[in-house]
Each structure stands twice: as structure tokens, then as C-alpha cells.
Amino acid sequence: MRAHVWAASLLVAAGALLAACGGGGGGSPTAPSGSNNPPASNSVTVSVVSSTGNTAYQPNPVRAAAGDTITFRNNDAVLHRIVLDDGSADLGDIAPGAVSRGFTVRAATAVNFHCTIHPSMVGSINGNEAPEAPCIDSYGYAC
Ligand SMILES: [Cu+2]
């Protein structure tokens, strides 16, 4: 009788050991730390400070890495609407004092942007320099 109990508990213990080893092959549950981790993405805020030319944005050009999120803070007194020249992002109307929705930079290659309300407001993301502002007369026409 006593031997039976002992044998039964041995079987239970063996079963528990097998269960603990089962389902393996998944590797370590925690991510490795160190240089294999992707770089952290950053938030880049561009300040809109006027309504004319390529000095309307600070900084210009904007520096951002792929994966970074860029937003525009309207520190000017009038409405602005920033779009990327390649059509990949339209940040919508940005009221004075407001911050635009963000867009994620897809690649570190250069892309220009402008304000649809004030066409001389031109800027660049990752360009070598700010783009040259187009000539716009006081009536809003190209000159
Ligand atoms: Cu504008």
C-alpha cells in the first residue's frame, strides 16, 4: 500500500517535469537588448513663424530620420495648411497656436512641402538647403 502511493507520486512528479519541458522551441521570452534594437523614433516639431517665404518655417530644412514623426506648430497669427509636394501628406488646416497632426517620415530622402494658403511658404525635409521661394505678387499671382 505504501509502495503504491510512493510510485504514484513519482509518476505525478515525472509528469510535471515533462509538462515543464513541453512546448519548447520558442526561445527566450524577452527581447535581446543592445545593438539589435531598432533606433527609437523621434518627434520633430517645426515652428511656423510667418506667412511668406522659406523663412516661414523653423528649422528649414527640417532634419528627420525614417520613422520620425513631424508636426507643425503654428506660431503665426493666421491659418496655414501644410502639404508635401509629393502629395503623400496633407496636414490639414492649422489654426494659430495649434499643432498639426503628425506624419511619419517614410525615408530619409529629401521631400519639399509648402502651404496651400501661402504658396511662397516653401520648406524641405532633409534637403541640403531650404528651397527657393517662388515669386508671388501682392495679389497672390506668380511674378
Ligand atoms: Cu500659410
Side-chain angles (χ1 to χ4, degrees):
M1 189 67 172
R2 190 169 279 249
H4 251 116
V5 171
W6 183 87
S9 59
L10 189 66
L11 280 173
V12 168
L17 277 173
L18 284 172
C21 292
S28 163
T30 56
S33 60
S35 60
N36 287 336
N37 287 343
S41 58
N42 298 308
S43 292
V44 178
T45 303
V46 181
S47 183
V48 180
V49 297
S50 82
S51 301
T52 53
N54 61 14
T55 57
Y57 308 102
Q58 290 179 354
N60 191 8
V62 182
R63 298 288 171 217
D68 287 356
T69 299
I70 296 179
T71 56
F72 288 78
R73 175 182 292 277
N74 186 353
N75 290 320
D76 192 25
V78 298
L79 190 74
H80 297 287
R81 182 167 190 154
I82 312 301
V83 298
L84 294 193
D85 288 8
D86 67 5
S88 63
D90 176 350
L91 302 185
D93 291 343
I94 314 165
V99 176
S100 75
R101 59 175 168 258
F103 74 96
T104 302
V105 176
R106 299 275 174 237
T109 51
V111 61
N112 290 349
F113 58 87
H114 66 279
C115 175
T116 62
I117 301 168
H118 310 100
S120 76
M121 290 176 64
V122 292
S124 173
I125 299 165
N126 293 326
N128 291 327
E129 57 189 12
E132 189 173 339
C135 178
I136 308 290
D137 68 20
S138 58
Y139 300 101
Y141 294 102
C143 46

